[in-house]
Amino acid sequence: MINFDVFGPEKIIEVYDPKTKMHGFLVIDNTILGPGKGGIRMTPSVTAQEVADLARAMTYKCALADLPFGGAKSGIVGDSRSLTAQQKKDIIVAFAKSIKNLVPDLYIAGPDIATTQEEMRLFAQTIGDNKACTGKPIDMGGIPHELGSTGYGVFLATKQACEFLGIDIKNAKIAIEGYGNVGSFAGKFLTEIGAKITHVSDRDGLTHNSNGLSHELLIESIEMYGSVIKHPNSLVFHNDTILEADVDILITAAIPDRVRLNDVDKIKAKLIVEGSNIPASIEVEKALHAKGIWVVPDIVCNTGGVISSYTEHINGTPEDMFKRIENTIPKNTKLILEESKAMGKIPREVALEIAKERILKS
Ligand code: NAD
């Protein structure tokens, strides 16, 4: 059952189109700071509850990132792989038509699982307003995902957290869980400042070299074999072993619930940066904190994507986007870690308090 509280959700909309069999949900969680921002995912199992949880996460993320956006999310029930291109288009058009009266004043869409810039093109065209969504193709003023906005923010948060903890980032050993959009860009920017990445995992395994892995060779391995595990001169292990890696810093950039309670004692890293969404529950984060492991929460460090969305929304350039990330994520990381230390609370609790205060004060 969806819970209501002081923030929302303000609207829970379930739509169905008998002609295309489009069945979707839109949850607009909170619009105090601005129109609800959140992507459209298409999965066979999506539910109103899942969409509501994701919409709430967007409310907090946008508040923390100092954006004039609220939180929202959409979900369309369907397996995009079993649909023809035309069926998928018809479903997106039907969904856009069914929520048209709310867009973009109360809801601004974006891509998420199984929706890309082409679906965003169609969505904006159906609504008849370029402001209907972000993540559009370049010819419609979109800022491409391939610039690595989220990975850049994760990199900056890592650097800032290292300063706070007195870790010399250039001499630290770093593990990255997942080397897709988020992980590979975090890896690229870390490599550029001379940091040493010793462990990288993906769907197929974990590759390790204690002298450091090469970002270029990791990308080459992905391009040629679809995985990082063919990086030359490295040892290959099961991807689960990333948590036991003998490193100073662990960056998560793959799956939710990666770190469970029974993993806490295995972890050697002193710092975990949550590039992925919800890699650990609050209980796990409390256990990590009790063990002296600092966590930079997802809602603080992986907001580069939504900052990029906002920049696109106001017709900004990629340069504006990078600047805005530089002005937001390190500042928030520092604030949350310092307050956490001063108040004896875990960083997520502090981050949530700050986000809630920013919303309720305005
Ligand atoms: P992606 O699909 O580009 O990459 C995912 C990576 O995770 C791939 O390297 C894949 O092989 C790997 N992976 C899958 N299962 C794994 C496993 N069991 N162990 C290790 N690696 C595994 O996805 P992405 O866009 O990089 O997103 C990664 C995470 O970050 C997700 O949780 C996503 O929700 C979150 N996130 C992404 C963005 C963004 O802008 N892309 C923004 C905020 C949060």
Side-chain angles (χ1 to χ4, degrees), residues 61 145 149-150 177-183 201-205 239 253-256 258 275-277 302 305:
K61 271 192 193 187
H145 205 50
S149 54
T150 305
E177 178 239 13
Y179 219 63
N181 186 270
V182 178
S201 67
D202 68 11
R203 201 170 276 114
D204 296 333
N239 56 18
I255 55 170
R258 170 75 277 187
S276 50
N277 286 322
N302 76 15

Side-chain angles (χ1 to χ4, degrees), residues 243-261:
L243 299 178
E244 296 154 41
D246 184 13
V247 291
D248 305 289
I249 303 163
L250 168 64
I251 295 175
T252 67
I255 55 170
D257 261 332
R258 170 75 277 187
V259 189
R260 307 268 171 100
L261 264 185

